[in-house]
Amino acid sequence: MRSVRGWSARRELEGRGWLRGAPPPLWVRVLPVALLVAVSVATLVTPHARDLGFLLGAIPPLSVLSYGPLATGVLGVGVVVALNVPATHLNRPGNTDLLTIVFVAALSVFVSYVRSHRDAQLDAEREIGEAVQRAVMPPLPARVGNVGCTGFYRAAQDGTLVGGDFFDVRAGPYGVRAVMGDVRGHGLSAVATVVSLLGAFREAVLDQPDLEYVAARMDRRLAVDAAGVPNGELFATGVLLEFSADGRAVRVVACGHPAPVLLDGERALEVTVAPGPPLGLALVGVEPPKEVTVALGPGDLLFLASDGVWEARARDGGDAFYPLPARLAALSCGPGSAWAELPGLVWQDLDRLSYEVRDDVTMLVLAPDPPPGGPAPRRDPSPKG
């Protein structure tokens, strides 16, 4: 299964309000035509329905919501014709009433023309923005080296595809490496920082032999960028992973970011890491992040999530956070729950259990190829050495 990125998850945004870019619902498009037909038929059936004629004045403005200037003009002409057909008993309004409806119809055509041109411009700008944001975070391949991967990205700011979260998986001379991070803030204001950090990660993957040095390269990049920020408060949390060539181990460096969750058969346990400070802070007296190594067995998965998932709160007003490891254990054991479907299942679970998400939501599942040989014994996801 291909990855589920923010632009795929855009369908979630379209249901939030058609006035903010999504097409109007069918009933809005049908309403002007249905109203014209209903009033005309009613007045043909009985002369007592002529009091409904005032409803025809609403048809041109309603048409503006769904139709272009040509269709709006056609509906406006239909209203004028209906008012002047003797059989409808609506041909009795005074000249002032008829002129008012003609004026409203003409004004509606003009408004529809302006709206259509504005929508075309917004569509062009949206396509450009999406192309730029896709260039920042291109679609994640289904496999990188010996690691299967799938992800989910949903920006907190409506209408954007990239926010303050980021992730990537890259193969290099030192193995397959992955990163997930969360920069300070969210929305379009954080995209520049995301670009810098992803660029530093992709470059370091190629020439840094140790995962700790990859984190140091990203930290330096952020520190340099922070020099141009007025308040100097530019930082990001991150977690980096490196898989061994045989898939039996993963090395983890955590920089203030939630640790990965290891799915081992029926269990889902948070990996024990040596927590380090966030990237870009350079705290005096604080040790830099240390790499830990976790053993992997056949079929083991690693699930990474951002604060948007870990810190989702129940909508009933309670202080409880979303119990991600416990829910992963339940979801991964469900019928037909393939590992590539886990991010989508977690997203649906958040909604089903009424948890409120207030930040960017990012999820990443990494599935290394099982090594040859028999199954490994169960173990705790604790670092070696």
Short mmCIF file of all heavy atoms in Angstrom, two decimals, residues 1-8 134 136-144 147-153 166-171 176-180 198 201-202 339-340 343 362-367:
data_model
loop_
_atom_site.label_atom_id
_atom_site.label_comp_id
_atom_site.label_asym_id
_atom_site.label_seq_id
_atom_site.Cartn_x
_atom_site.Cartn_y
_atom_site.Cartn_z
N MET A 1 0.85 -1.20 0.00
CA MET A 1 0.00 0.00 0.00
C MET A 1 0.88 1.24 0.00
O MET A 1 1.87 1.32 0.70
CB MET A 1 -0.88 0.00 1.24
CG MET A 1 -1.78 1.23 1.33
SD MET A 1 -2.80 1.20 2.80
CE MET A 1 -3.87 -0.16 2.42
N ARG A 2 0.51 2.20 -0.81
CA ARG A 2 1.28 3.43 -0.86
C ARG A 2 1.05 4.25 0.41
O ARG A 2 0.13 4.02 1.17
CB ARG A 2 0.86 4.27 -2.07
CG ARG A 2 1.03 3.55 -3.39
CD ARG A 2 2.45 3.25 -3.71
NE ARG A 2 3.17 4.48 -4.02
CZ ARG A 2 4.45 4.49 -4.32
NH1 ARG A 2 5.15 3.38 -4.34
NH2 ARG A 2 5.05 5.63 -4.59
N SER A 3 1.93 5.18 0.63
CA SER A 3 1.82 5.98 1.85
C SER A 3 0.61 6.90 1.78
O SER A 3 0.14 7.28 0.73
CB SER A 3 3.09 6.84 2.02
OG SER A 3 3.19 7.74 0.96
N VAL A 4 0.13 7.26 2.96
CA VAL A 4 -1.00 8.19 3.05
C VAL A 4 -0.46 9.51 3.54
O VAL A 4 -0.23 9.70 4.72
CB VAL A 4 -2.07 7.66 4.02
CG1 VAL A 4 -3.27 8.57 4.03
CG2 VAL A 4 -2.46 6.26 3.64
N ARG A 5 -0.21 10.45 2.63
CA ARG A 5 0.38 11.73 2.99
C ARG A 5 -0.71 12.76 3.20
O ARG A 5 -1.89 12.49 3.03
CB ARG A 5 1.32 12.19 1.88
CG ARG A 5 2.58 11.36 1.80
CD ARG A 5 3.51 11.68 2.93
NE ARG A 5 4.85 11.64 2.40
CZ ARG A 5 5.89 12.23 2.93
NH1 ARG A 5 5.77 12.88 4.02
NH2 ARG A 5 7.08 12.16 2.39
N GLY A 6 -0.26 13.98 3.53
CA GLY A 6 -1.23 15.05 3.78
C GLY A 6 -2.11 15.33 2.58
O GLY A 6 -3.27 15.63 2.72
N TRP A 7 -1.53 15.25 1.35
CA TRP A 7 -2.36 15.54 0.18
C TRP A 7 -3.37 14.45 -0.06
O TRP A 7 -4.42 14.69 -0.62
CB TRP A 7 -1.50 15.75 -1.06
CG TRP A 7 -0.45 14.73 -1.27
CD1 TRP A 7 -0.56 13.54 -1.91
CD2 TRP A 7 0.89 14.81 -0.82
NE1 TRP A 7 0.62 12.89 -1.89
CE2 TRP A 7 1.54 13.65 -1.24
CE3 TRP A 7 1.61 15.79 -0.10
CZ2 TRP A 7 2.88 13.40 -0.96
CZ3 TRP A 7 2.94 15.53 0.17
CH2 TRP A 7 3.56 14.35 -0.25
N SER A 8 -3.09 13.20 0.36
CA SER A 8 -4.10 12.15 0.28
C SER A 8 -5.15 12.36 1.36
O SER A 8 -6.33 12.10 1.16
CB SER A 8 -3.44 10.78 0.46
OG SER A 8 -2.53 10.53 -0.57
N ARG A 134 4.65 19.54 -2.05
CA ARG A 134 5.02 18.18 -2.41
C ARG A 134 6.52 18.06 -2.65
O ARG A 134 7.11 17.02 -2.42
CB ARG A 134 4.25 17.74 -3.65
CG ARG A 134 2.79 17.44 -3.39
CD ARG A 134 2.15 16.75 -4.59
NE ARG A 134 0.75 16.48 -4.35
CZ ARG A 134 -0.25 17.21 -4.79
NH1 ARG A 134 0.01 18.28 -5.50
NH2 ARG A 134 -1.50 16.90 -4.52
N VAL A 136 8.70 19.72 -0.97
CA VAL A 136 9.30 19.68 0.36
C VAL A 136 9.25 18.27 0.92
O VAL A 136 10.24 17.74 1.45
CB VAL A 136 8.58 20.66 1.31
CG1 VAL A 136 9.09 20.50 2.74
CG2 VAL A 136 8.78 22.08 0.82
N MET A 137 8.09 17.64 0.83
CA MET A 137 7.92 16.27 1.34
C MET A 137 7.30 15.42 0.25
O MET A 137 6.09 15.26 0.18
CB MET A 137 7.04 16.28 2.60
CG MET A 137 7.70 16.93 3.80
SD MET A 137 6.70 16.80 5.29
CE MET A 137 6.63 15.04 5.52
N PRO A 138 8.14 14.86 -0.63
CA PRO A 138 7.60 14.04 -1.72
C PRO A 138 6.96 12.77 -1.19
O PRO A 138 7.21 12.37 -0.03
CB PRO A 138 8.84 13.72 -2.57
CG PRO A 138 9.99 13.88 -1.63
CD PRO A 138 9.59 14.95 -0.66
N PRO A 139 6.12 12.12 -1.98
CA PRO A 139 5.46 10.89 -1.52
C PRO A 139 6.47 9.85 -1.04
O PRO A 139 7.51 9.64 -1.67
CB PRO A 139 4.70 10.41 -2.76
CG PRO A 139 4.48 11.64 -3.56
CD PRO A 139 5.67 12.51 -3.32
N LEU A 140 6.16 9.24 0.08
CA LEU A 140 7.04 8.24 0.66
C LEU A 140 6.91 6.93 -0.11
O LEU A 140 5.81 6.43 -0.31
CB LEU A 140 6.65 8.02 2.13
CG LEU A 140 7.58 7.17 2.98
CD1 LEU A 140 8.91 7.87 3.18
CD2 LEU A 140 6.92 6.90 4.33
N PRO A 141 8.03 6.34 -0.59
CA PRO A 141 7.92 5.06 -1.30
C PRO A 141 7.42 3.96 -0.38
O PRO A 141 7.53 4.04 0.85
CB PRO A 141 9.35 4.78 -1.77
CG PRO A 141 10.19 5.91 -1.32
CD PRO A 141 9.38 6.83 -0.48
N ALA A 142 6.87 2.92 -0.98
CA ALA A 142 6.38 1.79 -0.18
C ALA A 142 7.53 1.02 0.45
O ALA A 142 7.34 0.32 1.45
CB ALA A 142 5.53 0.86 -1.05
N ARG A 143 8.72 1.13 -0.10
CA ARG A 143 9.89 0.43 0.44
C ARG A 143 11.13 1.26 0.20
O ARG A 143 11.32 1.81 -0.90
CB ARG A 143 10.03 -0.95 -0.21
CG ARG A 143 11.24 -1.74 0.23
CD ARG A 143 11.11 -3.20 -0.17
NE ARG A 143 9.97 -3.80 0.53
CZ ARG A 143 10.02 -4.28 1.76
NH1 ARG A 143 11.16 -4.25 2.44
NH2 ARG A 143 8.95 -4.79 2.32
N VAL A 144 11.97 1.37 1.22
CA VAL A 144 13.27 2.01 1.12
C VAL A 144 14.31 0.99 1.57
O VAL A 144 14.36 0.64 2.76
CB VAL A 144 13.36 3.29 1.97
CG1 VAL A 144 14.75 3.89 1.86
CG2 VAL A 144 12.31 4.31 1.55
N VAL A 147 13.47 -1.88 4.17
CA VAL A 147 12.46 -1.42 5.14
C VAL A 147 11.20 -1.00 4.40
O VAL A 147 11.24 -0.12 3.53
CB VAL A 147 13.00 -0.25 6.00
CG1 VAL A 147 11.93 0.23 6.97
CG2 VAL A 147 14.26 -0.67 6.74
N GLY A 148 10.09 -1.64 4.75
CA GLY A 148 8.80 -1.18 4.26
C GLY A 148 8.34 0.01 5.08
O GLY A 148 8.61 0.09 6.29
N CYS A 149 7.65 0.94 4.45
CA CYS A 149 7.25 2.14 5.19
C CYS A 149 5.94 2.69 4.65
O CYS A 149 5.64 2.59 3.46
CB CYS A 149 8.33 3.22 5.13
SG CYS A 149 9.09 3.46 3.51
N THR A 150 5.18 3.25 5.54
CA THR A 150 3.96 3.96 5.18
C THR A 150 3.75 5.07 6.20
O THR A 150 4.12 4.93 7.37
CB THR A 150 2.74 3.02 5.13
OG1 THR A 150 1.61 3.70 4.61
CG2 THR A 150 2.39 2.51 6.52
N GLY A 151 3.17 6.17 5.76
CA GLY A 151 3.02 7.32 6.64
C GLY A 151 1.68 7.99 6.48
O GLY A 151 0.93 7.74 5.53
N PHE A 152 1.41 8.88 7.41
CA PHE A 152 0.17 9.65 7.42
C PHE A 152 0.52 11.05 7.87
O PHE A 152 1.24 11.23 8.86
CB PHE A 152 -0.85 9.03 8.38
CG PHE A 152 -2.18 9.74 8.45
CD1 PHE A 152 -3.25 9.29 7.71
CD2 PHE A 152 -2.35 10.86 9.25
CE1 PHE A 152 -4.49 9.93 7.77
CE2 PHE A 152 -3.57 11.51 9.32
CZ PHE A 152 -4.64 11.04 8.57
N TYR A 153 0.04 12.06 7.13
CA TYR A 153 0.33 13.45 7.48
C TYR A 153 -0.94 14.26 7.33
O TYR A 153 -1.56 14.25 6.27
CB TYR A 153 1.42 14.01 6.56
CG TYR A 153 2.09 15.27 7.07
CD1 TYR A 153 3.44 15.30 7.34
CD2 TYR A 153 1.35 16.43 7.30
CE1 TYR A 153 4.06 16.45 7.81
CE2 TYR A 153 1.94 17.58 7.78
CZ TYR A 153 3.31 17.58 8.02
OH TYR A 153 3.90 18.72 8.51
N PHE A 166 7.40 16.77 10.25
CA PHE A 166 8.06 16.26 9.06
C PHE A 166 8.56 14.84 9.33
O PHE A 166 8.77 14.44 10.47
CB PHE A 166 9.24 17.15 8.63
CG PHE A 166 10.34 17.25 9.65
CD1 PHE A 166 11.43 16.39 9.63
CD2 PHE A 166 10.29 18.22 10.65
CE1 PHE A 166 12.45 16.49 10.56
CE2 PHE A 166 11.30 18.33 11.60
CZ PHE A 166 12.38 17.46 11.55
N PHE A 167 8.70 14.07 8.27
CA PHE A 167 9.36 12.77 8.36
C PHE A 167 9.94 12.42 7.01
O PHE A 167 9.55 12.96 5.97
CB PHE A 167 8.41 11.67 8.86
CG PHE A 167 7.23 11.39 7.96
CD1 PHE A 167 7.36 10.61 6.82
CD2 PHE A 167 5.97 11.87 8.29
CE1 PHE A 167 6.28 10.34 6.01
CE2 PHE A 167 4.88 11.60 7.48
CZ PHE A 167 5.03 10.84 6.33
N ASP A 168 10.90 11.51 7.03
CA ASP A 168 11.52 11.04 5.79
C ASP A 168 12.24 9.73 6.07
O ASP A 168 12.62 9.45 7.22
CB ASP A 168 12.52 12.09 5.27
CG ASP A 168 12.81 11.91 3.78
OD1 ASP A 168 12.18 11.02 3.16
OD2 ASP A 168 13.65 12.66 3.24
N VAL A 169 12.40 8.94 5.03
CA VAL A 169 13.13 7.67 5.11
C VAL A 169 14.07 7.64 3.92
O VAL A 169 13.62 7.78 2.77
CB VAL A 169 12.19 6.46 5.09
CG1 VAL A 169 12.98 5.16 5.26
CG2 VAL A 169 11.12 6.57 6.17
N ARG A 170 15.37 7.45 4.18
CA ARG A 170 16.38 7.49 3.13
C ARG A 170 17.37 6.34 3.28
O ARG A 170 17.73 5.95 4.41
CB ARG A 170 17.15 8.81 3.19
CG ARG A 170 16.30 10.04 2.93
CD ARG A 170 16.16 10.29 1.44
NE ARG A 170 15.09 11.24 1.16
CZ ARG A 170 15.02 11.94 0.04
NH1 ARG A 170 15.94 11.80 -0.89
NH2 ARG A 170 14.00 12.77 -0.17
N ALA A 171 17.79 5.80 2.15
CA ALA A 171 18.84 4.79 2.13
C ALA A 171 20.16 5.47 1.80
O ALA A 171 20.23 6.35 0.94
CB ALA A 171 18.53 3.71 1.10
N VAL A 176 19.62 2.17 6.06
CA VAL A 176 18.36 2.92 5.93
C VAL A 176 18.15 3.74 7.19
O VAL A 176 18.18 3.21 8.31
CB VAL A 176 17.17 1.97 5.71
CG1 VAL A 176 15.86 2.75 5.67
CG2 VAL A 176 17.35 1.19 4.41
N ARG A 177 17.93 5.03 7.00
CA ARG A 177 17.74 5.93 8.13
C ARG A 177 16.41 6.66 7.98
O ARG A 177 16.00 6.99 6.87
CB ARG A 177 18.88 6.95 8.21
CG ARG A 177 20.20 6.32 8.66
CD ARG A 177 21.37 7.26 8.50
NE ARG A 177 22.56 6.77 9.19
CZ ARG A 177 23.77 7.33 9.08
NH1 ARG A 177 23.94 8.40 8.30
NH2 ARG A 177 24.79 6.81 9.74
N ALA A 178 15.77 6.90 9.11
CA ALA A 178 14.48 7.58 9.12
C ALA A 178 14.51 8.69 10.15
O ALA A 178 15.27 8.65 11.12
CB ALA A 178 13.35 6.59 9.44
N VAL A 179 13.67 9.71 9.93
CA VAL A 179 13.57 10.82 10.86
C VAL A 179 12.11 11.23 10.97
O VAL A 179 11.35 11.14 10.01
CB VAL A 179 14.43 12.03 10.39
CG1 VAL A 179 13.92 12.59 9.08
CG2 VAL A 179 14.47 13.13 11.45
N MET A 180 11.72 11.62 12.16
CA MET A 180 10.45 12.30 12.39
C MET A 180 10.72 13.45 13.33
O MET A 180 11.49 13.32 14.29
CB MET A 180 9.40 11.37 12.98
CG MET A 180 8.10 12.10 13.35
SD MET A 180 6.78 11.02 13.95
CE MET A 180 6.25 10.30 12.41
N LEU A 198 14.99 19.00 6.87
CA LEU A 198 14.98 17.88 5.94
C LEU A 198 16.20 17.92 5.02
O LEU A 198 16.78 16.88 4.71
CB LEU A 198 13.70 17.89 5.11
CG LEU A 198 12.44 17.39 5.82
CD1 LEU A 198 11.22 17.56 4.91
CD2 LEU A 198 12.58 15.93 6.24
N PHE A 201 19.13 16.66 7.07
CA PHE A 201 19.04 15.21 7.27
C PHE A 201 19.44 14.46 6.00
O PHE A 201 20.23 13.51 6.04
CB PHE A 201 17.62 14.83 7.68
CG PHE A 201 17.35 13.36 7.66
CD1 PHE A 201 17.83 12.53 8.66
CD2 PHE A 201 16.61 12.79 6.63
CE1 PHE A 201 17.59 11.16 8.64
CE2 PHE A 201 16.35 11.43 6.60
CZ PHE A 201 16.85 10.61 7.60
N ARG A 202 18.90 14.86 4.86
CA ARG A 202 19.17 14.15 3.61
C ARG A 202 20.64 14.23 3.22
O ARG A 202 21.18 13.30 2.63
CB ARG A 202 18.27 14.72 2.51
CG ARG A 202 16.81 14.38 2.71
CD ARG A 202 15.88 15.27 1.90
NE ARG A 202 14.47 14.94 2.16
CZ ARG A 202 13.45 15.69 1.78
NH1 ARG A 202 13.66 16.82 1.11
NH2 ARG A 202 12.21 15.31 2.06
N TRP A 339 -0.12 -4.05 8.45
CA TRP A 339 0.68 -3.01 9.09
C TRP A 339 0.59 -1.68 8.34
O TRP A 339 0.65 -0.62 8.94
CB TRP A 339 2.13 -3.46 9.22
CG TRP A 339 2.86 -3.67 7.92
CD1 TRP A 339 2.98 -4.82 7.21
CD2 TRP A 339 3.57 -2.67 7.16
NE1 TRP A 339 3.72 -4.61 6.07
CE2 TRP A 339 4.10 -3.31 6.02
CE3 TRP A 339 3.81 -1.31 7.35
CZ2 TRP A 339 4.85 -2.64 5.06
CZ3 TRP A 339 4.55 -0.64 6.40
CH2 TRP A 339 5.07 -1.30 5.27
N ALA A 340 0.44 -1.73 7.01
CA ALA A 340 0.37 -0.49 6.23
C ALA A 340 -0.91 0.29 6.51
O ALA A 340 -1.00 1.47 6.17
CB ALA A 340 0.48 -0.81 4.74
N PRO A 343 -1.67 3.57 10.33
CA PRO A 343 -1.91 5.02 10.50
C PRO A 343 -3.36 5.42 10.27
O PRO A 343 -3.92 6.20 11.04
CB PRO A 343 -0.98 5.65 9.45
CG PRO A 343 0.10 4.64 9.25
CD PRO A 343 -0.57 3.31 9.38
N THR A 362 1.14 13.36 12.56
CA THR A 362 2.09 12.66 11.72
C THR A 362 2.30 11.27 12.29
O THR A 362 2.51 11.11 13.49
CB THR A 362 3.45 13.39 11.68
OG1 THR A 362 3.23 14.76 11.40
CG2 THR A 362 4.35 12.80 10.62
N MET A 363 2.21 10.27 11.42
CA MET A 363 2.45 8.88 11.82
C MET A 363 3.30 8.20 10.77
O MET A 363 3.17 8.47 9.58
CB MET A 363 1.12 8.13 12.00
CG MET A 363 0.30 8.61 13.19
SD MET A 363 -1.33 7.80 13.32
CE MET A 363 -2.31 8.85 12.23
N LEU A 364 4.17 7.31 11.23
CA LEU A 364 5.08 6.61 10.33
C LEU A 364 5.25 5.18 10.85
O LEU A 364 5.53 4.98 12.04
CB LEU A 364 6.43 7.32 10.28
CG LEU A 364 7.53 6.71 9.41
CD1 LEU A 364 7.12 6.73 7.94
CD2 LEU A 364 8.84 7.47 9.61
N VAL A 365 5.06 4.21 9.97
CA VAL A 365 5.25 2.79 10.31
C VAL A 365 6.42 2.28 9.49
O VAL A 365 6.48 2.45 8.27
CB VAL A 365 4.00 1.95 10.02
CG1 VAL A 365 4.23 0.50 10.41
CG2 VAL A 365 2.79 2.51 10.76
N LEU A 366 7.37 1.64 10.18
CA LEU A 366 8.56 1.09 9.54
C LEU A 366 8.60 -0.41 9.80
O LEU A 366 8.52 -0.85 10.95
CB LEU A 366 9.82 1.76 10.08
CG LEU A 366 9.86 3.29 9.90
CD1 LEU A 366 11.04 3.89 10.66
CD2 LEU A 366 9.94 3.65 8.43
N ALA A 367 8.73 -1.19 8.74
CA ALA A 367 8.69 -2.65 8.83
C ALA A 367 9.92 -3.23 8.15
O ALA A 367 9.93 -3.44 6.93
CB ALA A 367 7.42 -3.19 8.19
#
